[in-house]
């Protein structure tokens, strides 16, 4: 049969939109949004998925519904074939030759060379200034970040932003990246957490690829954004490496922005000379947002996610969750998910009912049991499945994720975790943890899924 050219992409979009109304936004963005229409060949609609998990998950859970919806829309059945396309690494190493032959590539001409790592890819699309709600608590940091992104390298260098967990540091840091890329699309913006800086530093030593590593941060970099510098503490060699990178970039007037959970002086295991560098520029703090700012953040988030949020529910949440914006967002995502599942509107009573354990639980206390329950709900499996020996990927993947989160978010030992997953061996937990971490490194989808889950868990 001949291939048909009609507005099939729109049909695809419409068909998946019909799912959007039936699923929680979290599930939708984890499993459906990553799929995209490729082409229609005969009666076969080809769709791409970023990885095998998404492909299998979609096929097992939603394929039939979408197929029916498409049939309804076009008036005839179409088969859906899902291809897995390997997603690119978030921040690939510069190719060795290029790294070595692109001579001191730092003038603006260097930008004519295609960027080594597509800079936007390592940035969360939502973390832009436009989505950042400004209030007295964060006004200073926001204004400084904005200034720096308007005149990179010229005003405050480095800009050092510090504040407690979940208050918007990473959001602001990446907003700087987006804004600079909007102005200078060819610039190379390197966003990296200091944890990753350390890990990649170690592997570059192991693989004897130090030159490439250096080139990536010193030559192939117009703007350096380093998140959570506190992880550098006690990692002397990495600090040393970072110190030189810092100096090189600073001399070239390349903008550097750093975030931390504390002011430089309160980071005891950070080298003095590095700390003194941080004082060269501007140090800005982010504080816990006031009630009004919390309400405004919730409303903005609801607007972005298309969640119907009344003022009284926003006030209720803002009154009850005070010290962490991430928790605030997590509560909203959770409400939206449950309101979807149960098809009922989000009222204050509903919020009170759904969030009881979140509001009354010991803050910071995340138990393995809670992780299992949230992960099970998220992936649409049962807690029993997670504890079972069952091997299908639709179960083993959520199980690995739950083990990884238990390792990350609780202080339980490997064998304790194994015990709570139906008496599994500690090596099983270890290998699940390792597997998820490895996937995280290069799979943006999985990373997003985990970010959503951590938000739901209030991290
Ligand atoms: P941190 O890095 O300080 O731990 P994040 O930047 O990850 O915090 O912020 C946690 C969540 O809260 C993110 O989803 C972020 O978008 C959101 N957030 C924090 N502050 C604001 C704000 N002022 N306006 C909108 N969203 C915010
Ligand atoms: Mg952060």
């Amino acid at each position: 049969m001949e291939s048909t050219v009609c507005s099939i992409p729109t049909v695809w979009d419409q068909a998946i939109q019909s799912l959007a109304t039936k699923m929680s936004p979290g599930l939708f963005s984890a499993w459906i949004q990553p799929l995209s229409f490729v082409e229609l060949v005969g009666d076969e609609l080809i769709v791409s998925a970023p990885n095998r998990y998404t492909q299998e998950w979609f096929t097992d859970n939603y394929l039939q519904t979408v197929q029916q919806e498409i049939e309804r829309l076009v008036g005839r059945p179409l088969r859906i074939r899902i291809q897995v396309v390997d997603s690119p690494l978030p921040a690939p190493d510069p190719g060795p030759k290029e790294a070595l032959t692109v001579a001191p590539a730092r003038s603006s001409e260097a930008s004519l060379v295609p960027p080594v790592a597509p800079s936007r890819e390592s940035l969360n699309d939502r973390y832009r200034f436009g989505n950042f709600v400004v209030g007295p608590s964060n006004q200073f940091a926001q204004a400084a970040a904005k200034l720096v992104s308007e005149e990179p390298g010229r005003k405050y260098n480095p800009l050092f932003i510090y504040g407690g967990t979940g208050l918007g540091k990473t959001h602001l840091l990446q907003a700087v990246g987006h804004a600079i890329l909007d102005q200078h699309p060819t610039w190379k913006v390197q966003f990296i957490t200091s944890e990753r800086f350390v890990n990649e530093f170690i592997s570059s030593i192991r693989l004897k690829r130090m030159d490439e590593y250096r080139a990536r941060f010193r030559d192939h970099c117009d703007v350096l954004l380093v998140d959570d510098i506190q992880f550098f503490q006690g990692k002397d060699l990495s600090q040393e490496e970072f110190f030189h990178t810092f100096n090189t970039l600073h001399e070239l007037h390349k903008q550097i922005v750093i975030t931390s959970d504390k002011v430089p002086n309160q980071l005891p295991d950070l080298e003095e000379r590095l700390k003194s560098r941080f004082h060269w520029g501007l140090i800005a703090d982010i504080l816990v947002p006031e009630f009004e700012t919390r309400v405004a953040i919730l409303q903005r988030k609801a607007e972005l996610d298309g969640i119907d949020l009344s003022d009284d529910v926003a006030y209720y949440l803002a009154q009850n969750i005070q010290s962490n914006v991430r928790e605030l967002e997590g509560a909203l995502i959770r409400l939206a998910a449950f309101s979807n599942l149960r098809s009922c509107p989000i009222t204050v009573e509903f919020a009170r009912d759904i969030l009881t354990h979140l509001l009354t639980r010991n803050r910071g206390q995340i138990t393995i049991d809670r992780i299992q329950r949230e992960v099970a709900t998220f992936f649409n499996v049962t807690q029993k499945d997670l504890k079972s020996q069952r091997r299908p990927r639709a179960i083993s993947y959520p199980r690995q994720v739950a083990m990884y989160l238990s390792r990350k978010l609780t202080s339980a030992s490997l064998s304790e975790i194994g015990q709570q997953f139906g008496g599994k061996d500690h090596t099983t937990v270890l290998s699940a943890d390792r597997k998820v971490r490895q996937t995280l490194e290069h799979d943006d989808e999985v990373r997003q899924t985990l970010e959503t889950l951590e938000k739901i868990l209030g991290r």
Side-chain angles (χ1 to χ4, degrees):
M1 193 180 287
E2 246 181 279
S3 65
T4 328
V5 183
C6 61
S7 59
I8 287 293
T10 335
V11 169
W12 169 256
D13 285 343
Q14 276 180 24
I16 62 167
Q17 276 316 313
S18 75
L19 278 181
T21 56
K22 296 179 193 140
M23 303 168 65
S24 77
L27 284 177
F28 187 79
S29 70
W31 299 114
I32 311 295
Q33 253 163 6
L35 299 171
S36 47
F37 170 79
V38 180
E39 60 178 339
L40 179 71
V41 182
D43 271 351
E44 198 166 57
L45 201 137
I46 301 175
V47 171
S48 71
N51 51 49
R52 224 177 42 247
Y53 305 127
T54 314
Q55 179 199 35
E56 287 175 8
W57 194 260
F58 180 83
T59 311
D60 289 350
N61 293 282
Y62 308 110
L63 183 67
Q64 219 180 356
T65 318
V66 175
Q67 228 148 13
Q68 282 165 358
E69 186 63 21
I70 290 182
E71 183 170 350
R72 198 181 63 75
L73 290 167
V74 292
R76 65 189 165 105
L78 295 178
R79 228 168 339 129
I80 299 177
R81 183 150 63 89
I82 302 167
Q83 290 175 336
V84 177
V85 284
D86 282 333
S87 52
L89 296 176
D93 280 339
K97 288 199 198 75
E98 199 179 354
L100 297 173
T101 50
V102 178
R106 21 188 98 122
S107 68
S108 53
E109 284 155 39
S111 311
L112 298 175
V113 180
V116 176
S119 302
R120 284 267 187 212
E121 253 171 43
S122 53
L123 303 178
N124 182 327
D125 202 42
R126 287 197 163 191
Y127 290 174
R128 292 170 182 270
F129 282 118
N131 296 336
F132 191 82
V133 176
V134 185
S137 55
N138 56 36
Q139 200 170 23
F140 182 51
Q142 190 267 359
K146 218 146 184 203
L147 239 157
V148 150
S149 55
E150 281 156 13
E151 296 187 58
R154 295 216 232 121
K155 269 273 156 26
Y156 304 117
N157 207 9
L159 170 63
F160 187 100
I161 300 173
Y162 77 95
T165 311
L167 297 185
K169 300 183 296 295
T170 302
H171 187 139
L172 269 188
L173 183 67
Q174 296 204 2
V176 171
H178 279 299
I180 292 181
L181 283 169
D182 290 342
Q183 288 293 316
H184 312 278
T186 55
W187 279 24
K188 278 155 253 142
V189 172
Q190 293 280 2
F191 166 85
I192 191 156
T193 63
S194 60
E195 198 176 10
R196 190 155 172 176
F197 189 97
V198 171
N199 289 341
E200 293 186 8
F201 177 65
I202 295 169
S203 52
S204 71
I205 296 177
R206 191 162 40 88
L207 301 169
K208 301 196 171 52
R209 291 168 77 166
M210 263 326 284
D211 288 348
E212 282 170 45
Y213 183 78
R214 287 199 174 125
R216 171 165 155 210
F217 292 108
R218 297 187 197 172
D219 303 336
H220 296 272
C221 178
D222 297 305
V223 177
L224 181 63
L225 309 173
V226 185
D227 206 7
D228 291 325
I229 197 89
Q230 69 272 11
F231 283 113
F232 268 147
Q233 292 193 88
K235 321 271 180 356
D236 295 346
L237 278 180
S238 307
Q239 281 188 41
E240 165 100 24
E241 179 61 29
F242 180 69
F243 179 75
H244 294 297
T245 299
F246 183 102
N247 288 343
T248 308
L249 294 176
H250 197 272
E251 270 169 32
L252 294 164
H253 302 285
K254 301 287 165 97
Q255 182 66 47
I256 302 164
V257 187
I258 294 165
T259 70
S260 162
D261 65 349
K262 297 195 187 70
V263 267
N265 292 341
Q266 284 173 12
L267 297 168
D269 294 323
L270 210 61
E271 270 191 62
E272 280 309 321
R273 56 180 188 167
L274 201 49
K275 281 194 249 186
S276 77
R277 292 291 191 272
F278 296 157
H279 286 275
W280 284 359
L282 179 72
I283 299 188
D285 59 354
I286 299 194
L287 305 170
V288 172
E290 309 69 25
F291 174 76
E292 292 79 359
T293 314
R294 296 200 294 277
V295 171
I297 291 174
L298 281 169
Q299 287 169 337
R300 177 89 190 106
K301 173 86 182 152
E303 191 189 325
L304 278 175
D305 283 352
I307 300 170
D308 203 3
L309 177 72
S310 64
D311 287 349
D312 51 352
V313 175
Y315 294 166
Y316 175 77
L317 294 179
Q319 256 153 13
N320 284 285
I321 303 171
Q322 303 188 345
S323 59
N324 183 328
V325 180
R326 193 175 294 127
E327 280 193 10
L328 204 58
E329 286 191 340
L332 183 62
I333 296 176
R334 199 179 154 82
L335 282 184
F338 276 88
S339 119
N340 249 305
L341 281 173
R342 299 190 189 168
S343 311
C344 54
I346 306 176
T347 60
V348 172
E349 290 68 46
F350 180 74
R352 195 173 290 135
D353 178 30
I354 298 292
L355 303 174
T356 348
H357 73 278
L358 181 76
L359 302 179
T360 52
R361 85 188 145 85
N362 229 338
R363 297 216 162 255
Q365 264 265 313
I366 297 180
T367 60
I368 298 177
D369 181 63
R370 235 191 99 211
I371 293 173
Q372 289 175 339
R373 277 186 282 127
E374 298 290 2
V375 170
T377 311
F378 186 87
F379 288 101
N380 212 2
V381 296
T382 63
Q383 194 173 0
K384 216 169 122 201
D385 285 334
L386 298 182
K387 296 183 179 190
S388 72
Q389 306 290 337
R390 298 185 56 201
R391 303 294 284 271
R393 181 156 294 279
I395 292 170
S396 65
Y397 172 56
R399 183 184 297 130
Q400 284 163 359
V401 165
M403 286 180 171
Y404 161 86
L405 288 170
S406 303
R407 184 104 208 266
K408 180 167 178 196
L409 306 178
T410 74
S411 52
S413 67
L414 289 170
S415 18
E416 275 164 342
I417 298 174
Q419 269 312 314
Q420 293 213 43
F421 278 83
K424 298 200 172 51
D425 196 63
H426 73 276
T427 51
T428 312
V429 182
L430 194 63
S431 87
D433 179 63
R434 200 171 289 149
K435 199 154 174 188
V436 175
R437 272 198 284 163
Q438 279 164 357
T439 321
L440 266 182
E441 285 286 308
H442 58 80
D443 192 327
D444 281 352
E445 285 313 313
V446 175
R447 203 172 36 150
Q448 253 173 32
T449 303
L450 285 165
E451 273 172 15
T452 308
L453 275 167
E454 289 194 29
K455 270 188 196 160
I456 290 175
L457 287 159
R459 285 289 299 202

